[in-house]
């Protein structure tokens, strides 16, 4: 598959009567977007605000972050199976409003939504302090179940991002990149002397609001399979989970997966990016065994020389990670895993819930139990009502001055396990 991605740089977002992109500014009509959102019978109201880098603004509780994108040429459309029809995406041309993001907030459905600070200490831990954010604050109708509310908020965020992305369809991009993912046979012919490297992306799919969707289908209903990485750039994978904010892959993370980006940058130079494998994370042992068996089987059948495996979440999924690593290494394939750590606030506890000697090449996104105190900021978009309840918070963690003490697992993207963050360790 060959995908040309055109990047339209957005430096500001403003409200205006006519939706458009002009001179680096994205103008949005809040009334039109409100009407779009309230087409959903489960949402009672929505309000919009704008958060810019460097502003004294705190956004909480964050549900998802989405980058506005739209198809210009090629089959299918962005977010297939959810917003658009179930057509195979990943080829043709796609335009991106780079620098802009849609951030969804609202009443929590569990306890694992997060915080984004646009300035101060907290801003150093989240990549979304660097984006210009259109924040949509949803109010659900009374009596909804958590799953109904989560689904409505998820789809509404995607609809907003899709509408904004279409504003860039007829524009000339500021920058263009071409991503070409050859077939297995083609790649072997073109790069016979380069090591064949694959990427195994583990997708959170444990249920109980821990879900990821592929072409609109909950990944726990699928088995280990393959995609073209360009499909993911077109929104074939979206977030629908409420794992801890620090290591949750938002939809934005999937759209801009840095592992995929780095493998493409080395493709044809130092390696042959041969395969993109997706696998689920499971609750029951039998399911973990089945999925990791399939991962190792695909790696072996593709005769890969090396594999990168990334995790999402922590605790129970650590077992899936180690199973995937151990079985892949047993095929004779060199394996590197990307995870984060829950090593206790002093950093001396066991970092993962599972381990194996085969996991001897590891990249860490940092210790999610690290404690920070976030200073009071001038403006809150959303509410601070849940700062004691969200993962990483605790009773009495807000002082009289308005500062909040949390583990960094409460900060969206702080220890992301795709490497989409600023932390690591040696």
């Amino acid at each position: 598959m060959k995908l040309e991605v055109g990047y339209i740089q957005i430096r500001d977002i403003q409200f205006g009567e006519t939706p458009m992109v002009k001179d680096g500014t994205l103008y949005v009509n809040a009334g039109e977007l409100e009407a779009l959102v309230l087409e959903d019978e489960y949402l009672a109201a929505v309000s919009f605000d704008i958060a810019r880098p460097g502003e004294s603004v705190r956004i909480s509780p964050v549900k998802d972050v989405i980058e506005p994108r739209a198809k210009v040429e090629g089959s299918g459309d962005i977010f297939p199976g959810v917003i658009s029809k179930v057509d195979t995406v990943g080829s043709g041309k796609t335009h991106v409003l780079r620098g802009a993001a849609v951030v969804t907030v609202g009443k929590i459905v569990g306890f694992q939504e997060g915080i984004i600070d646009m300035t101060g200490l907290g801003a150093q831990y989240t990549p979304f302090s660097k984006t210009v954010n259109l924040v949509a604050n949803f109010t659900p109708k009374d009596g909804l179940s958590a799953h109904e509310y989560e689904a409505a908020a998820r789809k509404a965020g995607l609809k907003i991002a899709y509408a904004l992305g279409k504003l860039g369809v007829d524009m000339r991009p500021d920058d263009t990149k071409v991503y070409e993912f050859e077939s297995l046979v083609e790649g072997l012919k073109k790069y016979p002397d380069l090591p064949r490297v694959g990427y195994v992306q583990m997708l959170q799919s444990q249920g109980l609001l821990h879900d990821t969707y592929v072409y609109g289908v909950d990944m726990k209903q699928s088995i280990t399979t393959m995609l073209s990485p360009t499909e993911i750039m077109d929104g074939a994978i979206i977030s629908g989970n409420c794992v801890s904010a620090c290591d949750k892959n938002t939809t934005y993370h999937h759209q801009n997966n840095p592992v995929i980006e780095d493998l493409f940058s080395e493709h044809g130079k130092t390696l042959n990016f041969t395969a993109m494998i997706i696998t689920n994370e499971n609750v029951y042992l039998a399911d973990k065994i089945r999925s990791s068996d399939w991962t190792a089987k695909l790696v072996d059948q593709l005769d890969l020389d090396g594999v990168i495996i990334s995790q999402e979440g922590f605790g129970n999924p650590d077992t899936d990670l180690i199973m995937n690593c151990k079985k892949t290494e047993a095929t004779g394939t060199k394996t590197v895993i990307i995870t984060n750590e829950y090593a206790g606030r002093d950093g001396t506890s066991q970092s993962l819930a599972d381990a194996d000697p085969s996991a001897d090449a590891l990249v860490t996104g940092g210790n999610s139990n690290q404690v920070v105190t976030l200073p009071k900021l001038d403006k809150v978009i959303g509410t601070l009502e849940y700062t004691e309840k969200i993962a990483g918070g605790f009773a009495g963690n807000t002082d009289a001055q308005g500062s909040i003490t949390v583990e960094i697992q409460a900060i969206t993207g702080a220890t992301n396990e795709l490497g989409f963050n600023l932390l690591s360790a040696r």
Side-chain angles (χ1 to χ4, degrees), residues 334-359:
K334 295 180 179 179
T335 305
V336 176
I337 60 176
I338 310 175
T339 182
N340 62 359
E341 303 173 60
Y342 284 78
R345 294 182 178 182
D346 60 0
T348 61
S349 298
Q350 180 173 314
S351 295
L352 300 178
D354 201 355
D356 189 84
S358 63

mmCIF file of all heavy atoms in Angstrom, residues 334-359:
data_model
loop_
_atom_site.group_PDB
_atom_site.id
_atom_site.type_symbol
_atom_site.label_atom_id
_atom_site.label_comp_id
_atom_site.label_asym_id
_atom_site.label_seq_id
_atom_site.Cartn_x
_atom_site.Cartn_y
_atom_site.Cartn_z
ATOM 1 N N LYS A 334 14.834 -12.075 17.153
ATOM 2 C CA LYS A 334 15.249 -11.113 18.170
ATOM 3 C C LYS A 334 14.090 -10.171 18.481
ATOM 4 O O LYS A 334 13.461 -9.634 17.580
ATOM 5 C CB LYS A 334 16.464 -10.323 17.685
ATOM 6 C CG LYS A 334 17.711 -11.179 17.486
ATOM 7 C CD LYS A 334 18.881 -10.351 16.995
ATOM 8 C CE LYS A 334 20.121 -11.219 16.815
ATOM 9 N NZ LYS A 334 21.274 -10.432 16.309
ATOM 10 N N THR A 335 13.837 -9.959 19.772
ATOM 11 C CA THR A 335 12.636 -9.243 20.193
ATOM 12 C C THR A 335 12.982 -8.110 21.153
ATOM 13 O O THR A 335 13.764 -8.296 22.085
ATOM 14 C CB THR A 335 11.658 -10.212 20.884
ATOM 15 O OG1 THR A 335 11.384 -11.305 20.008
ATOM 16 C CG2 THR A 335 10.369 -9.517 21.242
ATOM 17 N N VAL A 336 12.389 -6.954 20.909
ATOM 18 C CA VAL A 336 12.486 -5.809 21.808
ATOM 19 C C VAL A 336 11.073 -5.458 22.255
ATOM 20 O O VAL A 336 10.160 -5.379 21.429
ATOM 21 C CB VAL A 336 13.122 -4.591 21.105
ATOM 22 C CG1 VAL A 336 13.125 -3.381 22.039
ATOM 23 C CG2 VAL A 336 14.525 -4.907 20.623
ATOM 24 N N ILE A 337 10.880 -5.252 23.562
ATOM 25 C CA ILE A 337 9.560 -4.882 24.058
ATOM 26 C C ILE A 337 9.569 -3.426 24.537
ATOM 27 O O ILE A 337 10.579 -2.915 25.028
ATOM 28 C CB ILE A 337 9.069 -5.810 25.187
ATOM 29 C CG1 ILE A 337 10.006 -5.779 26.400
ATOM 30 C CG2 ILE A 337 8.925 -7.227 24.673
ATOM 31 C CD1 ILE A 337 9.499 -6.612 27.584
ATOM 32 N N ILE A 338 8.421 -2.764 24.353
ATOM 33 C CA ILE A 338 8.229 -1.406 24.858
ATOM 34 C C ILE A 338 7.108 -1.461 25.878
ATOM 35 O O ILE A 338 6.010 -1.942 25.594
ATOM 36 C CB ILE A 338 7.850 -0.415 23.744
ATOM 37 C CG1 ILE A 338 8.815 -0.520 22.559
ATOM 38 C CG2 ILE A 338 7.845 1.015 24.287
ATOM 39 C CD1 ILE A 338 8.404 0.354 21.375
ATOM 40 N N THR A 339 7.382 -0.973 27.075
ATOM 41 C CA THR A 339 6.404 -0.982 28.142
ATOM 42 C C THR A 339 6.610 0.265 28.991
ATOM 43 O O THR A 339 7.323 1.192 28.598
ATOM 44 C CB THR A 339 6.535 -2.271 28.985
ATOM 45 O OG1 THR A 339 5.536 -2.276 30.010
ATOM 46 C CG2 THR A 339 7.911 -2.394 29.615
ATOM 47 N N ASN A 340 5.948 0.327 30.132
ATOM 48 C CA ASN A 340 6.308 1.297 31.156
ATOM 49 C C ASN A 340 6.409 0.541 32.468
ATOM 50 O O ASN A 340 6.371 -0.684 32.474
ATOM 51 C CB ASN A 340 5.306 2.461 31.215
ATOM 52 C CG ASN A 340 3.902 2.003 31.573
ATOM 53 O OD1 ASN A 340 3.633 0.820 31.776
ATOM 54 N ND2 ASN A 340 2.983 2.946 31.636
ATOM 55 N N GLU A 341 6.545 1.244 33.563
ATOM 56 C CA GLU A 341 6.767 0.563 34.827
ATOM 57 C C GLU A 341 5.835 1.096 35.911
ATOM 58 O O GLU A 341 5.490 2.282 35.911
ATOM 59 C CB GLU A 341 8.217 0.744 35.268
ATOM 60 C CG GLU A 341 9.235 0.247 34.244
ATOM 61 C CD GLU A 341 10.660 0.595 34.645
ATOM 62 O OE1 GLU A 341 11.070 0.145 35.731
ATOM 63 O OE2 GLU A 341 11.327 1.324 33.902
ATOM 64 N N TYR A 342 5.462 0.225 36.809
ATOM 65 C CA TYR A 342 4.771 0.604 38.030
ATOM 66 C C TYR A 342 5.642 0.093 39.172
ATOM 67 O O TYR A 342 5.405 -0.956 39.748
ATOM 68 C CB TYR A 342 3.361 0.031 38.068
ATOM 69 C CG TYR A 342 2.420 0.791 37.168
ATOM 70 C CD1 TYR A 342 2.430 0.592 35.793
ATOM 71 C CD2 TYR A 342 1.549 1.756 37.675
ATOM 72 C CE1 TYR A 342 1.607 1.310 34.947
ATOM 73 C CE2 TYR A 342 0.716 2.485 36.844
ATOM 74 C CZ TYR A 342 0.744 2.255 35.482
ATOM 75 O OH TYR A 342 -0.078 2.976 34.643
ATOM 76 N N ALA A 343 6.690 0.861 39.443
ATOM 77 C CA ALA A 343 7.751 0.422 40.344
ATOM 78 C C ALA A 343 7.621 1.006 41.741
ATOM 79 O O ALA A 343 8.579 0.987 42.522
ATOM 80 C CB ALA A 343 9.110 0.795 39.749
ATOM 81 N N GLY A 344 6.444 1.529 42.069
ATOM 82 C CA GLY A 344 6.264 2.157 43.376
ATOM 83 C C GLY A 344 6.768 3.584 43.367
ATOM 84 O O GLY A 344 7.564 3.988 42.522
ATOM 85 N N ARG A 345 6.292 4.351 44.314
ATOM 86 C CA ARG A 345 6.669 5.768 44.346
ATOM 87 C C ARG A 345 8.150 5.986 44.606
ATOM 88 O O ARG A 345 8.705 7.016 44.217
ATOM 89 C CB ARG A 345 5.827 6.497 45.401
ATOM 90 C CG ARG A 345 4.344 6.527 45.035
ATOM 91 C CD ARG A 345 3.519 7.286 46.046
ATOM 92 N NE ARG A 345 2.119 7.331 45.631
ATOM 93 C CZ ARG A 345 1.170 7.966 46.297
ATOM 94 N NH1 ARG A 345 1.462 8.602 47.425
ATOM 95 N NH2 ARG A 345 -0.078 7.960 45.845
ATOM 96 N N ASP A 346 8.797 5.004 45.254
ATOM 97 C CA ASP A 346 10.241 5.130 45.479
ATOM 98 C C ASP A 346 11.043 4.423 44.394
ATOM 99 O O ASP A 346 12.278 4.422 44.426
ATOM 100 C CB ASP A 346 10.623 4.587 46.852
ATOM 101 C CG ASP A 346 10.274 3.111 47.022
ATOM 102 O OD1 ASP A 346 9.728 2.507 46.061
ATOM 103 O OD2 ASP A 346 10.536 2.547 48.100
ATOM 104 N N GLY A 347 10.361 3.779 43.436
ATOM 105 C CA GLY A 347 11.052 3.143 42.321
ATOM 106 C C GLY A 347 11.712 1.828 42.634
ATOM 107 O O GLY A 347 12.459 1.291 41.807
ATOM 108 N N THR A 348 11.434 1.239 43.794
ATOM 109 C CA THR A 348 12.142 0.018 44.188
ATOM 110 C C THR A 348 11.303 -1.245 44.060
ATOM 111 O O THR A 348 11.790 -2.341 44.332
ATOM 112 C CB THR A 348 12.628 0.136 45.654
ATOM 113 O OG1 THR A 348 11.499 0.305 46.513
ATOM 114 C CG2 THR A 348 13.580 1.316 45.818
ATOM 115 N N SER A 349 10.048 -1.122 43.674
ATOM 116 C CA SER A 349 9.201 -2.315 43.530
ATOM 117 C C SER A 349 9.439 -2.979 42.179
ATOM 118 O O SER A 349 10.035 -2.390 41.270
ATOM 119 C CB SER A 349 7.724 -1.921 43.649
ATOM 120 O OG SER A 349 7.447 -1.375 44.914
ATOM 121 N N GLN A 350 8.940 -4.232 42.046
ATOM 122 C CA GLN A 350 9.041 -4.918 40.756
ATOM 123 C C GLN A 350 8.261 -4.129 39.720
ATOM 124 O O GLN A 350 7.111 -3.774 39.914
ATOM 125 C CB GLN A 350 8.476 -6.327 40.873
ATOM 126 C CG GLN A 350 8.533 -7.115 39.567
ATOM 127 C CD GLN A 350 8.134 -8.565 39.751
ATOM 128 O OE1 GLN A 350 8.581 -9.224 40.686
ATOM 129 N NE2 GLN A 350 7.296 -9.076 38.855
ATOM 130 N N SER A 351 8.906 -3.857 38.573
ATOM 131 C CA SER A 351 8.329 -2.942 37.586
ATOM 132 C C SER A 351 7.152 -3.526 36.835
ATOM 133 O O SER A 351 6.217 -2.808 36.476
ATOM 134 C CB SER A 351 9.407 -2.523 36.584
ATOM 135 O OG SER A 351 10.415 -1.782 37.227
ATOM 136 N N LEU A 352 7.198 -4.829 36.550
ATOM 137 C CA LEU A 352 6.145 -5.503 35.798
ATOM 138 C C LEU A 352 5.567 -6.643 36.635
ATOM 139 O O LEU A 352 6.253 -7.203 37.487
ATOM 140 C CB LEU A 352 6.689 -6.066 34.482
ATOM 141 C CG LEU A 352 7.301 -5.083 33.485
ATOM 142 C CD1 LEU A 352 7.830 -5.827 32.268
ATOM 143 C CD2 LEU A 352 6.284 -4.038 33.062
ATOM 144 N N ALA A 353 4.320 -6.983 36.340
ATOM 145 C CA ALA A 353 3.674 -8.071 37.080
ATOM 146 C C ALA A 353 4.157 -9.442 36.626
ATOM 147 O O ALA A 353 3.870 -10.449 37.274
ATOM 148 C CB ALA A 353 2.159 -7.981 36.925
ATOM 149 N N ASP A 354 4.877 -9.496 35.514
ATOM 150 C CA ASP A 354 5.392 -10.762 34.994
ATOM 151 C C ASP A 354 6.780 -10.498 34.419
ATOM 152 O O ASP A 354 7.133 -9.350 34.103
ATOM 153 C CB ASP A 354 4.465 -11.315 33.915
ATOM 154 C CG ASP A 354 4.645 -12.810 33.690
ATOM 155 O OD1 ASP A 354 5.557 -13.397 34.304
ATOM 156 O OD2 ASP A 354 3.872 -13.385 32.898
ATOM 157 N N ALA A 355 7.565 -11.534 34.280
ATOM 158 C CA ALA A 355 8.926 -11.371 33.762
ATOM 159 C C ALA A 355 9.424 -12.698 33.214
ATOM 160 O O ALA A 355 8.877 -13.763 33.524
ATOM 161 C CB ALA A 355 9.869 -10.871 34.856
ATOM 162 N N ASP A 356 10.464 -12.621 32.389
ATOM 163 C CA ASP A 356 11.082 -13.821 31.833
ATOM 164 C C ASP A 356 12.485 -13.443 31.349
ATOM 165 O O ASP A 356 12.683 -12.317 30.862
ATOM 166 C CB ASP A 356 10.259 -14.371 30.659
ATOM 167 C CG ASP A 356 10.747 -15.728 30.194
ATOM 168 O OD1 ASP A 356 10.342 -16.743 30.798
ATOM 169 O OD2 ASP A 356 11.553 -15.769 29.232
ATOM 170 N N PRO A 357 13.449 -14.357 31.460
ATOM 171 C CA PRO A 357 14.809 -14.045 31.001
ATOM 172 C C PRO A 357 14.888 -13.669 29.515
ATOM 173 O O PRO A 357 15.828 -12.980 29.099
ATOM 174 C CB PRO A 357 15.586 -15.344 31.278
ATOM 175 C CG PRO A 357 14.836 -15.998 32.389
ATOM 176 C CD PRO A 357 13.396 -15.666 32.145
ATOM 177 N N SER A 358 13.914 -14.121 28.710
ATOM 178 C CA SER A 358 13.942 -13.791 27.285
ATOM 179 C C SER A 358 13.687 -12.306 27.031
ATOM 180 O O SER A 358 14.034 -11.777 25.973
ATOM 181 C CB SER A 358 12.905 -14.622 26.526
ATOM 182 O OG SER A 358 11.599 -14.321 26.971
ATOM 183 N N ALA A 359 13.085 -11.621 28.011
ATOM 184 C CA ALA A 359 12.803 -10.186 27.863
ATOM 185 C C ALA A 359 14.039 -9.386 28.270
ATOM 186 O O ALA A 359 14.046 -8.653 29.259
ATOM 187 C CB ALA A 359 11.600 -9.799 28.707
#
